[in-house]
Amino acid sequence: RNCDWSSDVCSSDLLLLYYENRGNFPACTFVDGPLCSVYPTEDPTIYTLSSVPHTPIGRTDNPAEARAIRDSVDGATISAKRQLMEEQVQHYLPSFRDNFKFMGTQLAIKTEPVGNFDDRSCAVHHRDRIFHVMSGKIDTIFFAMERILASIEASRERGFSHISSPLRSDIYSR
């Protein structure tokens, strides 16, 4: 996907891991440090595993370099990151490997504002069916959710129909 790039943003290339869990498992986000999260998706059987130190795979202020970093990720990189992230989450959730089955990955480029301060605000914009969320902290997810749901509801009032989630087909396995 294309990002609107300007000199006041940089990018982080990210690797997110997807797991399947048939049980009923809550969201777990460990905060205030270089920690990790196990988070449900819109599919009740699919969860993501992310990690502050291990999810990032590169950082640049050049869009071509960001795409090159993302596109250079191979099976060995994924395997190494997966091992590190699973070891980290096992410390907090010892039964993780017993309850979750690895499915695949998602590679993405995240843009962040550049400045001398950490911007914690949340901005939500959308173009057609794609929503762009710039969020500094997890607590702004509620603001983003309200904005997105309001926009979807307004779209339905205008006669747009519901489309099922393409999440399973978007998870990439290497």
Side-chain angles (χ1 to χ4, degrees), residues 14 47 49 52 54 112 128 130-132 161-162:
L14 309 171
Y47 292 75
L49 173 60
V52 171
H54 306 302
E112 302 169 319
D128 299 322
I130 298 187
F131 287 88
H132 303 270
S161 61
H162 173 72

Side-chain angles (χ1 to χ4, degrees), residues 4-161:
D4 292 330
W5 216 275
S6 67
S7 61
D8 59 347
V9 298
C10 67
S11 78
S12 295
D13 290 270
L14 309 171
L15 178 129
L16 189 61
L17 302 179
Y18 283 87
Y19 291 81
E20 192 164 26
N21 177 319
R22 294 282 178 200
N24 187 11
F25 195 83
C28 292
T29 299
F30 303 99
V31 296
D32 292 335
L35 302 169
C36 56
S37 294
V38 177
Y39 215 78
T41 66
E42 68 266 17
D43 182 317
T45 65
I46 299 176
Y47 292 75
T48 60
L49 173 60
S50 61
S51 165
V52 171
H54 306 302
T55 294
I57 53 175
R59 189 173 177 93
T60 182
D61 60 0
N62 180 295
E65 288 177 22
R67 287 187 292 276
I69 292 168
R70 179 199 59 203
D71 295 344
S72 71
V73 173
D74 59 10
T77 302
I78 292 169
S79 181
K81 290 283 192 175
R82 178 181 168 196
Q83 181 176 345
L84 290 168
M85 291 166 74
E86 286 181 0
E87 286 173 5
Q88 183 183 30
V89 75
Q90 284 281 129
H91 178 74
Y92 303 100
L93 301 170
S95 64
F96 180 81
R97 286 189 176 123
D98 297 330
N99 293 313
F100 289 88
K101 178 185 169 197
F102 179 70
M103 294 179 67
T105 62
Q106 179 184 53
L107 300 170
I109 299 171
K110 174 180 81 170
T111 57
E112 302 169 319
V114 174
N116 293 330
F117 64 95
D118 286 335
D119 183 2
R120 303 298 192 207
S121 64
C122 180
V124 178
H125 307 282
H126 74 91
R127 186 175 0 169
D128 299 322
R129 293 179 45 220
I130 298 187
F131 287 88
H132 303 270
V133 177
M134 292 283 280
S135 177
K137 283 298 221 176
I138 190 69
D139 63 346
T140 61
I141 194 168
F142 301 109
F143 171 80
M145 179 187 69
E146 287 175 11
R147 293 279 310 270
I148 291 168
L149 290 175
S151 180
I152 291 170
E153 188 172 309
S155 295
R156 286 185 178 157
E157 289 174 2
R158 291 189 302 261
F160 296 113
S161 61

